[in-house]
Structure formats: C-alpha cells, structure tokens
Amino acid sequence: MRLPFAAIAASCLLAITAIPAAADAPATAAPEAAPRLIVAISVDQFSADLFAQYRQHYEHGLARLLGGVVFPSGYQSHAATETCPGHSTLLTGVHPARSGIIANDWFDPALGRNVYCVEDEGNPQSTADDPVVSSGHLLVPTLGDLLKRRDPASLNVAVSAKDRAVVMMSGHSADAAYWFKGQGFATFADRALSLAARAENAQLAEAVNAGASDLAVPGWCAAYDLGLALGDFTVGTFRFPPKPGDFKAFAVSPRMDEATTDLAVRLLDELPLGRDSVPDVLSVSYSATDKVGHAFGTEGLEMCIQQAVLDHAIGRLLEALDARGIDYVVMLSADHGGADAPERMRLQGVPDAARLDPALTDKALSQAVSGVTGVTVPTGRLLYGAGGSGDIWLNGAIKGAARAKVIAELVRQLKANPQISGVYTAEELARVNVPSGNPQDWTEIERVAASYNPAHSGAVLMMTRRAVVPGTAPRPGSVATHGSPWDYDRRVPILFWRKGMTPMEQAQPVETVDIAPTLAALVGLQVPAGTFDGRCLDIAAGEADSCAR
C-alpha cells in the first residue's frame, strides 16, 4: 500500500516490517511473455562494497531483489566514474567514449566556461549556475528511445532528484521526466508539471515545512554510530533532523528517496504504465546514497540509516506495482561507487588514504606551468579541470607551439607528483581501442579511453593513485567523493528480478553496458548489430536462454 510522504516523514520513514508473503514468488521458470513494464532503478553511488556490506540487513525491496538474479561484480568500466557518464551507460548500452558523456561537465574553450552534461548551452536562457536542461549532448538512444521507435505507444518515464540522472536514463523521448529543483520536482522548460507532479510537490512542501524528528536508527546500525572529527565539524553520528522549511537539507537526506518513490507511484497511475501490450520503461534513480556519501562519507551512521530508508523506499515501489497487477521486470544497478573520507579510511586500515595535493588543482598547475614555460593568457586561467574526473583543458587562447609547450610541461609536472598514477594526452588516448572482455583486467589507459571523447575531453587526463580522494580539504557537506579508475568507484551490483524468475547469483564480472541488451532481449527488441557495446546476459537459470528470444 502506498504511504503518503507526510506520514512517512512524521514516522521517521522506517517501519521495518517484512515483505508480504505474496512478494516471495516461487522459484519457477522465467515467464516466456515479455514483461509489460521495465523498471530500471539506479542507486547513485551504490558501490559493490556498500551492497556487500549491507545486503544481510535488507528486509524490503532490496531483499526481494536478492531473490532474483544477482551480479555482485558489475562494472562501470570507464575511468570517469561520475553521475552523468555512469547513468549514460545503464540504458544506452554504450561506453561514455561513444555516448559523448565524458563527465558531469566539461570546459568549453569557445564559451570560456564549463558546460553541464545535460545543458542546452545554445539557449540564451542557459547559464552555468542555472542550465536549461536538454538531452542534446547524449549522442545515442536509450532503451526507452528504441522502444518508442518500434512503437510510439511505448511510454518512457523517468524520475530522480537529479536532472542528469533523469535525462541519461530516459534519453531523447521522455513522456514524463521529473527531477528535484529548489522546493519541488521540475521538468523541461517547455513542459508544464502534470497533476501528479503538482500533487507530489504540494504534499512534499507540507511535510518539509512541518519539519520532523530524527530518523529512526535500526539496531544493526549501532556499530557505525561513531563520530569522526574533521577540523571544526564532525560526521558519523547525524540522524537527519530537518528544520521546518529547510528544503536544501531535505534534498541531502534519505527522505529524498522516499519522495522519489512517491512521485514514481503517482506516475504509475497518471500515464498509466504497464497497462497494455506495449512494453513501457520507468526509470527511477535514487540519489540520496550519493548525497549522504558526499556529505558524511560511506562508513558512518548516516550511510547506515540511508541504506535502511533506501531498502524501504524500493520496497514501497515494488508493492505499488504488485497492487496494480502489473507484469514487470526490475533492473537495479548504480552509476558509480564511492570512497569514504580518507581520515576515516586511515583509521580503518588504509594508511595511504589522502586528499588531493593542492599542487594538483587547476589554479596551482596553471601558475606552475606558466612559470616554467612563460606562456600566459589574456583572461582566465591557463588550465581548467584537474581533480574530479581527471580532465585538464587548456585555455582557448593557447595555440600552436605554445600549446605543445604547455602540454609537455604539464605532463612532466604531473608525472613527477607522487599522488599521480598515470598521465595521458588526447593524442595517446585517440590511439587506444576500448577493449572488450573482463573489465577488471583492463589497463588504466584502457579505462581512461572508455570515457574519452575528442569533442569534450581534456587535452591531458591525470589519474590519481588508489585512495587519493579528490578535494584538498573536507568541509561541511563535502567530505568524500568518487571519480577514480579504481574498483571502489567502478564496481557496482547489477540485479534483475521478475515474478517467477529462478534465483541465481553469478560472481563473474559483467558491465553496466550489458544491461540494455539484456532488457532488450526480454521485450523482444531487435536492433542493428553494433547498437550496443555490451552483450546480453542470460538471466534464465538452467537450460533456457533469455537472450535467444
């Protein structure tokens, strides 16, 4: 039964009860008919490490999905382990090098500013601080796009706290697309909010303005309730008590995932989804794990509470689908993993954990390279980027011999820094073919090449060593992040569930680009060879082959 958001907020969101018996489908052969609805779930920053750490405690939605087909070693194969590139792989089936989504944003020398991955920078209303949202930078179709090409009656719907998650999962032909902005859910500039979205926003505003108490703490979270001092503030013990009217705090809390479920359930009825013979796609990206991971790290009480709320939110979504009698298949994965705060990692057996050397920021590198080469620019900095995804862009005023000189000196200085694992120029990366095969075996330059695209990538890409966390110092709201080529950022779970599916767990490595061809096979979608970079995964245990339909 759907629980109103206001009631959930008032009761701390955590009624820890068992999944109804009806949810535990018998282990029989997978149904032959195509499902009427594909429910594609992304949990932002849900690393395979978090999944392994908490799977024993899941009791609701995630517990149910554990009874399906589980690939605990899925990979975002590329090095640019950020939200936009990661989400772009899930339903397109292609690597960022091909989709064009190489980072959350990139420097545009012609504009002299960063461009957001889902921005229509050609729109005069679009600014770096308030971009006009568009799918224009995504160079390939999503599964929802392909299904609508086959039959325009197919519905393609997406909801998340993040606009880039919505756009990357729905693509170019979303029938409904909603993300959180300011004090409620928003959509594309040329569309009006639907009745469902307006109703959700009204309910959400009432709940936020009323405030709430601390979120409940499950008993199994006690071991994580330890404070970590980071300068003049502490993380590790926060229970998310919202002040009345504080929408910003709400958006960076587990409550955001419950609101995302609320709107997704409303959209099930408004459109309606999964009610006819044409398969639909509902994409739901839960963002709070990422928000909590950035603000508090991955190992404190905050993340433990978040995992309980996430489990509950997904459970409510699945129960809502059951109550409507929809024949659906669920896929759950993540856009990337994440690192904990290095200060806590050092206390937990990772002595080399560190924050980024300030010498590796674009400001410091600009000054150092200019000091050696004598190259200067009339406005702005010499270099932009560094840290984060590792791209370093040159000021558009640097041309010819000066450009070559700057790149050579930049590479020299980066390679001399002990925090750097690898340095690659655009020319080097252009010669590397993105490999196939087991993604954990890819070399570092192959991982970087998988997210290199000459239209947007930097002139030089730097990769930091394992456990070096981008950001030179912690601050409230930002203590940990992701973006590295290492397994803690690349490795994510991939789960499939459908009523009647035979449970199976397969530990061999697979890729997130395998998800789209796997789902396409389930709904009988035929596509030209080369549409996907990934391969179909056989998720029918036994002699049956779910890829041979």
Side-chain angles (χ1 to χ4, degrees), residues 124-154:
Q125 300 300 314
S126 190
T127 66
D129 294 331
D130 189 15
V132 173
V133 177
S134 165
S135 64
H137 289 303
L138 183 64
L139 303 179
V140 293
T142 63
L143 183 63
D145 292 329
L146 293 170
L147 285 171
K148 287 188 77 69
R149 288 182 189 176
R150 183 176 73 171
D151 191 330
S154 181

Side-chain angles (χ1 to χ4, degrees), residues 358-542:
L360 294 174
T361 63
D362 53 4
K363 181 179 180 181
L365 287 168
S366 293
Q367 294 172 345
V369 171
S370 183
V372 173
T373 63
V375 177
T376 60
V377 289
T379 59
R381 288 196 295 273
L382 196 74
L383 307 169
Y384 293 87
S389 66
D391 287 86
I392 303 176
W393 295 269
L394 272 61
N395 189 300
I398 307 172
K399 307 288 186 182
R403 180 180 177 86
K405 183 186 294 187
V406 166
I407 290 174
E409 178 58 23
L410 173 61
V411 168
R412 187 194 68 79
Q413 292 195 20
L414 289 173
K415 288 184 174 181
N417 191 294
Q419 284 193 344
I420 293 295
S421 172
V423 182
Y424 310 101
T425 65
E427 289 74 16
E428 290 175 301
L429 292 167
R431 297 192 295 267
V432 179
N433 293 322
V434 177
S436 58
N438 293 337
Q440 86 280 9
D441 297 331
W442 293 10
T443 64
E444 186 176 89
I445 194 171
E446 288 173 333
R447 300 174 192 185
V448 178
S451 49
Y452 170 79
N453 184 287
H456 301 309
S457 294
V460 175
L461 283 88
M462 70 177 211
M463 297 293 112
T464 53
R465 294 190 183 278
R466 177 181 291 274
V468 174
V469 178
T472 58
R475 63 181 188 277
S478 181
V479 307
T481 190
H482 46 83
S484 81
W486 305 113
D487 51 354
Y488 52 79
D489 283 340
R490 294 174 73 226
R491 201 164 64 89
V492 297
I494 300 176
L495 289 73
F496 296 90
W497 184 92
R498 189 182 182 191
K499 186 177 181 181
M501 175 180 278
T502 300
M504 176 178 71
E505 182 148 347
Q506 177 51 262
Q508 292 301 309
V510 295
E511 297 184 69
T512 55
V513 294
D514 298 333
I515 293 168
T518 302
L519 295 174
L522 289 183
V523 294
L525 177 66
Q526 301 293 321
V527 297
T531 298
F532 303 124
D533 291 339
R535 62 183 175 91
C536 180
L537 303 173
D538 180 8
I539 58 174

Side-chain angles (χ1 to χ4, degrees), residues 43-56:
V43 179
D44 202 318
Q45 205 184 131
F46 192 39
S47 67
D49 299 324
L50 274 181
F51 174 68
Q53 182 175 353
Y54 285 101
R55 62 183 292 178
Q56 64 183 312

Side-chain angles (χ1 to χ4, degrees), residues 40-210:
I41 298 176
S42 172
V43 179
D44 202 318
Q45 205 184 131
F46 192 39
S47 67
D49 299 324
L50 274 181
F51 174 68
Q53 182 175 353
Y54 285 101
R55 62 183 292 178
Q56 64 183 312
H57 298 298
Y58 297 137
E59 298 179 343
H60 301 280
L62 286 163
R64 187 197 300 205
L65 299 185
L66 281 167
V69 173
V70 179
F71 295 93
S73 292
Y75 278 81
Q76 290 283 0
S77 302
H78 53 273
T81 46
E82 295 186 332
T83 298
C84 215
H87 276 93
S88 78
T89 70
L90 297 177
L91 294 183
T92 66
V94 306
H95 297 115
R98 187 171 158 199
S99 72
I101 307 300
I102 57 93
N104 285 345
D105 49 38
W106 47 81
F107 182 74
D108 186 327
L111 293 177
R113 69 167 176 87
N114 278 8
V115 170
Y116 186 39
C117 62
V118 292
E119 178 183 0
D120 177 9
E121 66 272 23
N123 188 314
Q125 300 300 314
S126 190
T127 66
D129 294 331
D130 189 15
V132 173
V133 177
S134 165
S135 64
H137 289 303
L138 183 64
L139 303 179
V140 293
T142 63
L143 183 63
D145 292 329
L146 293 170
L147 285 171
K148 287 188 77 69
R149 288 182 189 176
R150 183 176 73 171
D151 191 330
S154 181
L155 296 172
N156 181 16
V157 175
V159 60
S160 176
K162 295 185 179 182
D163 51 12
R164 55 189 181 271
V166 166
V167 173
M168 290 299 119
M169 294 188 78
S170 61
H172 307 282
S173 59
D175 294 284
Y178 294 105
W179 55 86
F180 192 80
K181 182 179 181 181
Q183 298 187 2
F185 286 96
T187 188
F188 294 109
D190 60 351
R191 300 189 189 184
L193 293 180
S194 70
L195 290 175
R198 294 202 299 271
E200 180 59 32
N201 283 348
Q203 181 175 285
L204 188 154
E206 181 180 358
V208 175
N209 286 326

